[in-house]
Amino acid sequence: HGAATEKRFLRVFPFHGFGPWVDTLTLTRAIYPALPSHALSDAVEKLGLAAQLPTVGFRWHDACSDAIATVVLLRHLIQVTGIGNEPAEILTRPNLTEYFAHRREKSRLA
């Protein structure tokens, strides 16, 4: 969730070859442009996915916990859009038109 941050940290590993990048932050913005917050914890809570997280040892901003939450969120995004049988590449280029339109409208009203 927020692949740009991960990429920044992983650049220190020469020849890492990680990719393609699926960013659940970008996907969440594309699918739910009007969410008040697209932060991982906020999105998981607002979308009613918290019950799918472990009840023992889970802590937001812990790498393992956040990875689990990201998988839960990604599974939800795939299910809600019905793209489960599409090529995985579809996850790497979401359409953010509605998200940016919503942001423009929100800032215009502020």
Side-chain angles (χ1 to χ4, degrees):
H1 201 78
T5 302
E6 304 303 323
K7 288 179 185 179
R8 215 173 24 247
F9 287 112
L10 293 173
R11 281 193 194 124
V12 299
F13 297 102
F15 311 110
H16 61 71
F18 298 122
W21 295 91
V22 174
D23 188 352
T24 53
L25 174 60
T26 305
L27 290 170
T28 304
R29 286 175 174 168
I31 297 165
Y32 296 105
L35 274 181
S37 168
H38 293 90
L40 180 59
S41 58
D42 295 338
V44 167
E45 293 289 335
K46 196 72 167 170
L47 296 173
L49 304 173
Q52 297 177 41
L53 301 175
T55 55
V56 176
F58 186 89
R59 293 183 321 272
W60 289 112
H61 305 294
D62 169 80
C64 184
S65 295
D66 285 357
I68 292 167
T70 301
V71 169
V72 168
L73 177 59
L74 180 59
R75 181 176 53 204
H76 169 79
L77 297 173
I78 290 169
Q79 289 172 344
V80 77
T81 56
I83 60 171
N85 293 322
E86 297 294 326
E89 291 79 27
I90 197 170
L91 298 170
T92 64
R93 50 184 197 283
N95 182 342
L96 292 170
T97 304
E98 287 186 46
Y99 169 72
F100 288 115
H102 184 268
R103 278 185 49 173
R104 279 191 303 275
E105 181 64 19
K106 198 169 136 182
S107 67
R108 188 183 68 77
L109 296 174

